[in-house]
Amino acid sequence: MPIARIAARTLAAAVCAASLALGTAACSSDGNDAATTTVAPATVPDLVGSWTGAYEFPSKGKVIKTALTLVIERQEGENLFGYESFVDGKGATIKFDLVGTAAINQATGRADIVLATTGFWFDISVVDSTHLVARFVRTDDKPTTFLVELTKK
């Protein structure tokens, strides 16, 4: 067998052995590193209140700018009850009742919320105690979507 092949195989075996040794060392713990520290699970925060934000959305070939008020009237554990209101393109105030749930996202440690009514829903991430980021999705006869940052009043 040529020397170059022997050297290449030896080098490959050495790299594999070193990787395995480093991986084993990295996975071992003396109990003092952050990777083994147990963190208490976060709980869904108090979301009751009025949340507002300005946004724009596409509708029938034009962009409409307006503001949203999202009100969570009642929270029973992870279950939410409330409504949204906004001014439509004709200047009328529209209100829809919403129901939903909130849960802790294990990947982020933050609460995620889904609120819905017939034909549309909000997918919401809790940023902090006074800020939400909401994605609205409507799929009925007037499909549209938008993102809005909401601030608690």
Side-chain angles (χ1 to χ4, degrees):
M1 184 176 283
I3 298 282
R5 266 197 199 160
I6 294 172
R9 285 186 179 175
T10 303
L11 179 59
V15 168
C16 286
S19 295
L20 183 59
L22 287 173
T24 302
C27 290
S28 67
S29 173
D30 62 5
N32 294 323
D33 61 288
T36 60
T37 303
T38 302
V39 177
T43 58
V44 173
D46 179 10
L47 299 165
V48 173
S50 183
W51 303 80
T52 60
Y55 66 98
E56 57 185 46
F57 65 97
S59 178
K60 296 183 182 179
K62 62 183 177 182
V63 175
I64 298 174
K65 295 181 181 186
T66 189
L68 171 72
T69 299
L70 176 67
V71 177
I72 298 177
E73 298 174 297
R74 191 170 91 231
Q75 179 174 348
E76 294 178 17
E78 295 181 347
N79 299 297
L80 305 170
F81 306 86
Y83 64 90
E84 70 146 332
S85 68
F86 62 94
V87 177
D88 71 6
K90 298 176 185 174
T93 299
I94 308 295
K95 179 180 171 184
F96 290 100
D97 289 331
L98 299 168
V99 295
T101 58
I104 299 301
N105 180 324
Q106 297 302 315
T108 65
R110 295 182 183 171
D112 285 338
I113 304 163
V114 176
L115 294 170
T117 195
T118 302
F120 65 86
W121 71 90
F122 288 92
D123 183 7
I124 303 170
S125 294
V126 176
V127 177
D128 58 39
S129 64
T130 59
H131 297 93
L132 306 175
V133 174
R135 173 177 284 119
F136 173 88
V137 179
R138 182 173 179 171
T139 61
D140 62 5
D141 61 331
K142 298 178 183 175
T144 192
T145 187
F146 61 83
L147 290 172
V148 59
E149 294 181 20
L150 301 167
T151 302
K152 195 171 191 178
K153 284 183 164 181

